[in-house]
Amino acid sequence: MLRAFAPAAPGQRGLQEPPSGRPGRRRTATGPWWKADARSDPWRDPYAPAGLGAPAVYPPSPEEQSGPIVVDDRGRTKVRLRDLSVRLSALVLLAVLLVGAIGGGVGWWLTRATPESPLLSPGTTLTQVDPGITREPGSVSAIAAEVMPAVVSIEVRVGEAGATGSGVVIDGDDGYIVTNNHVVSGADGVDGAEIRAVFSDGSGSDARIVGRDPASDLAVIKVEKPELVTATLGESDNVAVGDPVVAIGSPLGLAGTVTSGIVSALERPVRLAGEGSDTNAVISAVQTDAPINPGNSGGALVDATGALVGINTAIASLGGNGTSGGSIGLGFAIPIDTVRDIAEQLISTGSAVHSSLGVNARSVTDGTRDGALVLNVEPGSAAAAAGIRERDVIIEVAGDRVGSSEELVVAVDRFAPGEEITIEVVRGGESQELRATLDAA
């Protein structure tokens, strides 16, 4: 580096001459870029001497500056309040107060200039919209409008005690109303007891008991009121799980209450024991999730056509008795075929007849098979004549499986007294088939 760029001889200034020894061509005054100060310009002439200029000049610090307006090291202008004069400070404060006073005065004037509107406006009518609502046939509202006149509230009074339930008009010409036995049984044969039916139009009529059937929890009462609206009776064979249904009655004393749901099960064996009544029944119930509460007893369960498919009679309750408590989404109704059969017998004779096998049983299981264990056999009964013994386990009636004592009662009740049926029992670990002719109960 030294050999390449050092001056050729001591005392010589500038860069070394080229290796060829020929100095570069110097600019002349006639050259296009030559100026009088070219010799002193290091960017134009490499031989020009270098030198330092004057030192940088910095503004004084804010502490060294006088007055309220100063410039900091970065060239920013600032106001120093401590250097403001008393007069200027007073002017600024006065200006702020003046602006505030003007703004407040304008706001006050505007509120005073605009009067408040009157609190009351007589004769005001709100805008009404008539969307033209249409209720299709089969809707819950249409079903309720059709069936409601045939559903009544039943009020029972015995001395100082009272109870309420529901009923359904099944013969409007003669004033026959079907309800639950446990609704009216407390007033049967009691002096001074009163039963009153209240209709959907608010009118009422005294009622008399035509007949009761504790074995099915059904009863028929009669009112002396002409031209009643009669419910249309359906058929149990037309009811399927999942069908929409509507429950109508007087739950908790609230007349004309409508709830809806579906049929959630069919042929559900349910044991009924009404509080304060002689009801002791096992029914093959229509199960529904339509909300049912105390007071719905005896009311209507109708399908999407408005046909009566059951009489509401019980609810599943956490209390366990099925007659008290509130709805938990499981209600039970007596199927319409049973209602029709029992009601016709009660209207004709005042009582109803059921088939009887003549055994007392309880539900049992061996882990693989369920049945009804015979606890005792009534002497001279159909079971005794058929050879059924105590400790036998009944597992089948007329080809239908029996898995509990409730299912045994329901299975026997399907047949009329005097009919002969086959009964399969397990005795000593072996099954055998017996034949029994049912008695009347």
Side-chain angles (χ1 to χ4, degrees), residues 149-286:
V151 180
V152 303
S153 296
I154 298 177
E155 300 174 353
V156 180
R157 181 166 296 280
V158 181
E160 298 298 324
T164 60
S166 306
V168 182
V169 178
I170 54 175
D171 187 340
D173 295 333
D174 293 326
Y176 289 115
I177 299 171
V178 67
T179 185
N180 283 141
N181 175 69
H182 72 261
V183 172
V184 298
S185 61
D188 191 16
V190 179
D191 292 338
E194 298 179 0
I195 302 175
R196 184 174 178 82
V198 180
F199 302 92
S200 60
D201 60 2
S203 62
S205 177
D206 292 336
R208 297 173 295 162
I209 296 176
V210 176
R212 301 186 299 109
D213 182 32
S216 64
D217 196 24
L218 287 172
V220 173
I221 61 176
K222 180 179 174 65
V223 296
E224 303 300 329
K225 187 177 176 67
E227 299 180 357
L228 296 178
V229 177
T230 304
T232 301
L233 305 187
E235 294 184 1
S236 296
D237 291 342
N238 295 335
V239 181
V241 174
D243 283 350
V245 287
V246 176
I248 305 175
S250 303
L252 308 176
L254 303 174
T257 296
V258 178
T259 57
S260 66
I262 63 169
V263 174
S264 53
L266 292 172
E267 299 182 355
R268 179 75 73 192
V270 177
R271 185 174 294 277
L272 306 177
E275 292 182 343
S277 76
D278 57 356
T279 297
N280 184 17
V282 177
I283 62 172
S284 179
V286 177

Side-chain angles (χ1 to χ4, degrees), residues 31-101:
W33 305 104
W34 190 259
K35 290 187 178 180
D37 61 347
R39 187 174 295 277
S40 61
D41 188 351
W43 300 104
R44 293 177 178 269
D45 189 355
Y47 293 97
L52 297 176
V57 178
Y58 297 97
S61 64
E63 288 74 10
E64 298 173 353
Q65 300 178 41
S66 61
I69 300 177
V70 297
V71 179
D72 62 8
D73 296 342
R74 299 184 180 181
R76 296 177 298 184
T77 302
K78 296 184 176 180
V79 177
R80 191 159 52 189
L81 298 178
R82 68 186 184 188
D83 292 338
L84 288 175
S85 64
V86 177
R87 182 177 300 176
L88 182 59
S89 301
L91 289 176
V92 171
L93 181 60
L94 220 78
V96 172
L97 293 175
L98 182 61
V99 171

